[in-house]
Amino acid sequence: MTTNNQDSLLHLLYQGVGQVFSRSPALARLWGSTFNALRFGETPFAAMRTPLDRARIALITTGGVHTVDQQPYDMNDPRGDPTFRAIPADIARDQLTITHDYYDHRDAEKDLNILFPLELFRELEQLQIIGSLATCYSFMGHIKPPYVETLLCTTAPQAAGMLKQDRVDAVLLTPA
Amino acid sequence: MGLIARTIEATGTPTVALNGLKDIAEKVRPPRTVHLKWPFGHPLGEPGNRAQQLVVIYYALLALYDVLAPGVILEPGWRWRRERYVEPHDWRMP
């Protein structure tokens, strides 16, 4: 079997499993209990010191969101895509789309706030409940070796650096 | 997603992560986690349920201030459906 055929079969397998898990949270939890995730003993921690009404907040999702002008995440490689996309805080809803074959995002397409609550945070900014909404970011959260290392050593640090440069006070992360 | 949260927090920026799979959060140990047993693709709830979405956001933002130790997993225990959500009105944080 060629590598391309193997990749296609793996993609189909992950796609099917992702759709099943989207419909059955109990099955997804069973999978999660056996998933060989990286284990850490220590956890970094930074105290939140900025009052909410002065805080600059960014959102990050791993739900595969991107603008219609940006390159979609790579769905041909079953190991995933560790790259990320910057999402302007003021972008119109109709300029956003989702590329992620490994979960059911039909409801998120109907109401993106259930996955990536950009519109709700813009309201919170207008109401001065938060200080401001910063540029947000999206990843595609189906990342397998060797891309876990790419994420850890390259792309996640890049995003973290951009958040620092933008003087972001706190980040809310939402999964697929 | 926990890996991204950890990387950001390590640069000094506080994070809070929603999570649907507690077992994975227990292994990866993001700095602050809000665990909800809801289906993939619905970390903030049902489409059109604005009150539910805002309650989740409020709770997550509150966790930024309330959680004082790394690796805490909060479990509000809200049901996916058949739960009455009331839009938060007072957003003052401690």
Side-chain angles (χ1 to χ4, degrees):
Chain A
M1 187 181 292
T2 66
T3 304
N4 278 347
N5 283 342
Q6 283 177 345
D7 284 355
S8 297
L9 279 175
L10 269 177
H11 173 263
L12 279 174
L13 175 68
Y14 292 145
Q15 190 175 16
V17 168
Q19 297 296 324
V20 169
F21 287 168
S22 296
R23 287 170 178 74
S24 171
L27 267 182
R29 283 196 295 278
L30 187 63
W31 167 79
S33 68
T34 61
F35 181 71
N36 189 23
L38 291 179
R39 282 179 185 270
F40 295 90
E42 299 293 312
T43 297
F45 192 78
M48 180 64 181
R49 302 195 188 282
T50 312
L52 188 60
D53 60 2
R54 295 212 311 263
R56 185 160 175 75
I57 308 280
L59 306 177
I60 294 184
T61 184
T62 51
V65 175
H66 60 92
T67 71
V68 292
D69 296 332
Q70 290 170 333
Q71 185 178 357
Y73 300 92
D74 183 0
M75 289 297 127
N76 294 318
D77 189 337
R79 299 170 300 179
D81 181 344
T83 62
F84 65 90
R85 311 284 182 271
I87 311 291
D90 61 353
I91 193 152
R93 168 64 188 91
D94 64 5
Q95 294 301 300
L96 292 173
T97 188
I98 298 173
T99 300
H100 194 320
D101 287 353
Y102 308 118
Y103 75 101
D104 184 345
H105 43 78
R106 286 176 296 180
D107 279 351
E109 282 157 11
K110 284 183 216 157
D111 181 357
L112 193 59
N113 284 314
I114 69 170
L115 175 78
F116 189 55
L118 207 55
E119 288 169 325
L120 291 175
F121 270 82
R122 284 199 288 247
E123 280 185 39
L124 296 181
E125 181 185 37
Q126 281 170 6
L127 294 168
Q128 299 181 332
I129 288 170
I130 63 166
S132 59
L133 181 63
T135 297
C136 298
Y137 296 92
S138 178
F139 289 77
M140 196 280 283
H142 167 93
I143 297 171
K144 300 190 173 299
Y147 297 143
V148 176
E149 194 178 337
T150 312
L151 177 76
L152 276 173
C153 299
T154 306
T155 52
Q158 279 173 355
M162 292 162 88
L163 292 163
K164 278 307 254 194
Q165 204 168 21
D166 198 8
R167 298 179 173 275
V168 167
D169 293 302
V171 179
L172 170 63
L173 296 102
T174 57
Chain B
M1 192 189 57
L3 299 177
I4 301 168
R6 292 177 59 92
T7 304
I8 293 167
E9 191 101 9
T11 67
T13 305
T15 63
V16 57
L18 303 185
N19 162 281
L21 297 170
K22 188 180 173 191
D23 286 292
I24 292 181
E26 285 173 341
K27 290 172 189 161
V28 175
R29 300 195 71 219
R32 301 170 193 79
T33 300
V34 176
H35 173 243
L36 292 162
K37 286 184 184 176
W38 294 354
F40 280 8
H42 302 75
L44 285 101
E46 288 187 277
N49 194 338
R50 175 185 165 87
Q52 183 182 37
Q53 296 158 11
L54 285 168
V55 163
V56 174
I57 290 170
Y58 176 86
Y59 191 88
L61 292 176
L62 188 60
L64 285 168
Y65 297 91
D66 269 358
V67 172
L68 301 175
V72 168
I73 300 174
L74 298 169
E75 295 186 88
W78 300 318
R79 287 172 299 182
W80 157 237
R81 292 191 170 117
R82 299 181 301 281
E83 186 93 36
R84 185 171 170 270
Y85 294 94
V86 178
E87 216 171 287
H89 291 293
D90 184 355
W91 287 77
R92 278 175 296 184
M93 301 276 155

